[in-house]
Amino acid sequence: MQQQTSMELRAWFRNVEPLYAELFNAAHAMCGNYDLAEYALRSAILDVWLQNAGSGMGFRERLRGALRQEAFDAALSDDARGAEFTWPGYADQADGSGDPILAQLSQERLEVQRLAALRHGCGLPVKAVARLTGMSSTQVRDELGRFEARCRRGLSGQDRGRAEQLIARRMKRLLTQEGPGIPQPSQVYRAFEAEADGAQVTGHRVSRVVGRALMALLAVACAGLFWLFAVLIQSAP
């Protein structure tokens, strides 16, 4: 990997910023803990950078995919066992907008709000939601089914048939909301820059070690061939 300047790293990081709030909010919902979410976010950004991914097609999906993987791993790690649950939920979403889905969401237990965020916002399968929450798949389906039914009752007749689609749309929009509970991008960038520099140094060291090992093996192979050639010459009649 070629050495990159701080300016180039900063320019690359700007491509992440439009998704920054969404990525952290998704990580926080998945991990349940602020510090683990920030760690997962930094790790996901570094993962995509190490793939030499530019800002072209598929960049956002790579970031989302890397974030889901890193957050899932962090949420199921040993560090998560004693971590404080800090995810705030959506109790303040009844903002007078008249949206029946947001009004219903704000009235739900924090546990149900998180299920809705994981399933409809993050787009995780039911089995993954069950693992993150410690519930069975049946419990997850039942809780979400009851939540969707309550939302459906608040919708007009025309919208009731697409309640699940409308819930998913609202939950995805909530993930993109910025707020004081999100770490400053500059803070995450500084950590990313340090980790990227470390990865570059490690990569160069590994390349040098591998190169030296290959040269040593080549020298041994050549010596062996010369020895074999000398033996064959001496044994020839």
Side-chain angles (χ1 to χ4, degrees), residues 94-233:
D95 55 359
S97 64
D99 189 312
I101 292 177
L102 294 182
Q104 182 60 50
L105 180 68
S106 68
Q107 299 173 29
E108 297 290 338
R109 306 188 322 273
L110 185 64
E111 177 185 59
V112 176
Q113 292 178 0
R114 189 180 180 212
L115 292 178
L118 295 174
R119 180 73 181 102
H120 296 295
C122 301
L124 299 180
V126 169
K127 286 185 178 180
V129 175
R131 289 196 66 190
L132 289 174
T133 58
M135 302 170 66
S136 69
S137 295
T138 300
Q139 288 174 314
V140 171
R141 289 192 186 94
D142 289 347
E143 289 285 2
L144 287 173
R146 287 191 286 268
F147 166 65
E148 291 163 14
R150 290 190 289 271
C151 289
R152 192 175 289 110
R153 286 195 292 270
L155 295 170
S156 64
Q158 186 177 2
D159 289 335
R160 287 177 181 171
R162 57 192 188 107
E164 188 173 348
Q165 178 184 352
L166 293 174
I167 292 170
R169 189 179 300 172
R170 300 298 190 279
M171 300 310 301
K172 286 182 170 65
R173 188 173 67 193
L174 288 175
L175 285 183
T176 65
Q177 288 186 351
E178 299 182 6
I182 297 177
Q184 290 296 318
S186 58
Q187 171 185 331
V188 172
Y189 172 76
R190 286 192 296 271
F192 160 69
E193 185 178 36
E195 290 165 349
D197 287 342
Q200 287 176 339
V201 170
T202 301
H204 284 302
R205 287 176 178 169
V206 170
S207 297
R208 286 197 297 270
V209 170
V210 171
R212 289 171 181 171
L214 289 175
M215 289 296 292
L217 288 173
L218 183 60
V220 171
C222 289
L225 288 174
F226 281 123
W227 176 82
L228 180 60
F229 179 74
V231 170
L232 291 175
I233 292 295

Side-chain angles (χ1 to χ4, degrees), residues 19 22-23 48 51 56-68:
L19 269 74
E22 174 191 335
L23 294 173
V48 176
Q51 296 170 18
M57 291 182 61
F59 179 73
R60 293 191 171 199
E61 286 311 310
R62 281 196 186 191
L63 276 172
R64 292 186 178 109
L67 186 282
R68 284 192 292 268

Side-chain angles (χ1 to χ4, degrees), residues 1-5 9 49-50 195-205:
M1 184 178 295
Q2 293 182 347
Q3 195 81 10
Q4 289 184 282
T5 65
L9 284 175
W49 177 79
L50 289 173
E195 290 165 349
D197 287 342
Q200 287 176 339
V201 170
T202 301
H204 284 302
R205 287 176 178 169

